[in-house]
């Protein structure tokens, strides 16, 4: 069965510093991986996704993530944090169309940006 | 049109009321989902409609009933809810058949049960 683990329910970084949000996955088949962002009282917005085309994936708002099969990881990074990046971030995994339609979410990481 | 819309944005209801949440997409997606999200938690899948076939999370109580009038619309009918049902209800859709099953989310309905 597929699963996702996000290390750290809260992460605080200073404005302008590197953002690193950690995600590890478990899947019995090659996974499809997603990072979603959620601002207060809003829906989820896709930041980026890994679908096996390239291991380094670039997303919106300057975020990127690297798929590392050997480490079963898909960590999210951004070189320089901005105050507007403060939000909840969810890593998610899907086993693709040959499985059911579900994606599995991690528990989320709240990103705090310090001035 | 690349968005999922949800109405109403906010809903307050009593435990004896009957109400409905509405979700709509015009992206030609053939799978639609309802999620429940409590504060500081990830979304929990409630229902999936995929090619007119309904899949249910067994833990969802019968006071929630989904309806899919057509491939663009998904309703969630609410009846005799409890205060613990207060949450953000999210609708999502995906282009069934996409290898990666990317889901597009609506803005949500904030439900308060008194």
């Amino acid at each position: 069965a597929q699963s996702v683990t996000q290390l750290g329910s809260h992460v605080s970084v200073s404005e302008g510093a590197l953002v690193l949000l950690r995600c590890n996955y478990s899947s019995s088949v090659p996974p499809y991986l997603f990072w979603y962002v959620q601002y207060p009282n809003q829906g989820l917005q896709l930041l980026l996704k890994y679908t096996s085309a390239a291991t380094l994936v670039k997303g919106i708002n300057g975020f990127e993530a690297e798929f590392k099969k050997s480490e079963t990881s898909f960590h999210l990074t951004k070189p320089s944090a901005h105050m507007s990046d403060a939000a909840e971030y969810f890593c998610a995994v899907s086993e693709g169309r040959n499985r059911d339609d579900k994606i599995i979410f991690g528990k989320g990481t709240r990103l705090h940006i310090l001035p | 049109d690349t968005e999922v819309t949800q109405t109403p944005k906010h809903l307050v209801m009593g435990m004896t009321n009957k109400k409905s949440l509405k979700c709509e997409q015009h992206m030609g997606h053939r799978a639609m989902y309802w999620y429940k999200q409590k504060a500081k938690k990830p979304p929990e899948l409630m229902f999936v409609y995929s090619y007119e076939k309904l899949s249910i999370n067994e833990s969802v109580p019968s006071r929630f009933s989904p309806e899919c009038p057509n491939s663009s619309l998904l309703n969630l009918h609410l009846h005799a809810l409890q205060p613990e049902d207060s949450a953000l209800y999210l609708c999502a859709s995906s282009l069934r058949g996409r290898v990666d099953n990317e889901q597009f989310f609506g803005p949500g309905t904030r439900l308060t049960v008194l």
Side-chain angles (χ1 to χ4, degrees):
Chain A
Q2 52 193 337
S3 66
V4 172
T5 302
Q6 291 184 243
L7 297 175
S9 58
H10 292 267
V11 170
S12 296
V13 301
S14 298
E15 191 174 18
L18 172 71
V19 174
L20 171 60
L21 303 182
R22 299 177 187 273
C23 173
N24 288 88
Y25 70 90
S26 172
S27 177
S28 58
V29 298
Y32 301 99
L33 295 158
F34 310 86
W35 275 101
Y36 284 89
V37 61
Q38 186 176 33
Y39 298 99
N41 294 310
Q42 294 188 26
L44 277 69
Q45 180 184 10
L46 183 70
L47 277 177
L48 49 80
K49 63 182 179 183
Y50 167 75
T51 58
S52 76
T55 56
L56 183 61
V57 181
K58 294 188 184 298
I60 62 171
N61 302 340
F63 284 93
E64 62 182 38
E66 186 172 9
F67 173 72
K68 291 187 176 181
K69 184 178 178 180
S70 61
E71 299 177 8
T72 61
S73 68
F74 190 56
H75 301 331
L76 182 70
T77 60
K78 181 174 180 177
S80 177
H82 192 272
M83 295 300 290
S84 61
D85 294 327
E88 188 83 21
Y89 291 80
F90 293 100
C91 183
V93 63
S94 165
E95 292 189 339
R97 69 176 174 186
N98 293 324
R99 303 289 172 140
D100 56 32
D101 293 288
K102 301 180 182 64
I103 62 174
I104 304 299
F105 288 94
K107 293 187 175 181
T109 298
R110 170 75 61 170
L111 178 62
H112 304 270
I113 309 298
L114 308 173
Chain B
D1 189 352
T2 58
E3 65 174 1
V4 176
T5 60
Q6 290 186 243
T7 54
K9 189 172 176 64
H10 299 277
L11 178 62
V12 180
M13 59 187 291
M15 289 189 284
T16 58
N17 293 156
K18 287 185 181 180
K19 296 286 185 182
S20 297
L21 309 184
K22 179 181 174 182
C23 174
E24 192 166 10
Q25 57 86 16
H26 294 288
M27 294 180 278
H29 288 177
R30 299 306 300 269
M32 296 185 75
Y33 312 78
W34 278 115
Y35 289 88
K36 173 184 178 181
Q37 187 180 26
K38 300 286 276 186
K40 304 183 191 304
K41 298 288 186 184
E44 295 177 55
L45 183 64
M46 301 175 73
F47 304 102
V48 180
Y49 264 100
S50 179
Y51 284 106
E52 291 81 45
K53 179 183 175 184
L54 173 64
S55 297
I56 301 172
N57 181 336
E58 298 289 331
S59 67
V60 175
S62 59
R63 55 185 182 266
F64 295 92
S65 59
E67 177 199 15
C68 193
N70 59 59
S71 59
S72 299
L73 272 175
L74 184 66
N75 298 321
L76 184 63
H77 301 299
L78 316 172
H79 173 55
L81 295 193
Q82 302 297 308
E84 61 264 28
D85 297 321
S86 298
L88 182 67
Y89 287 83
L90 294 165
C91 176
S93 69
S94 70
L95 183 60
R96 186 70 172 91
R98 278 183 70 102
V99 173
D100 55 34
N101 197 29
E102 175 186 344
Q103 294 184 16
F104 295 76
F105 284 82
T109 293
R110 173 69 61 187
L111 174 67
T112 303
V113 182
L114 301 177

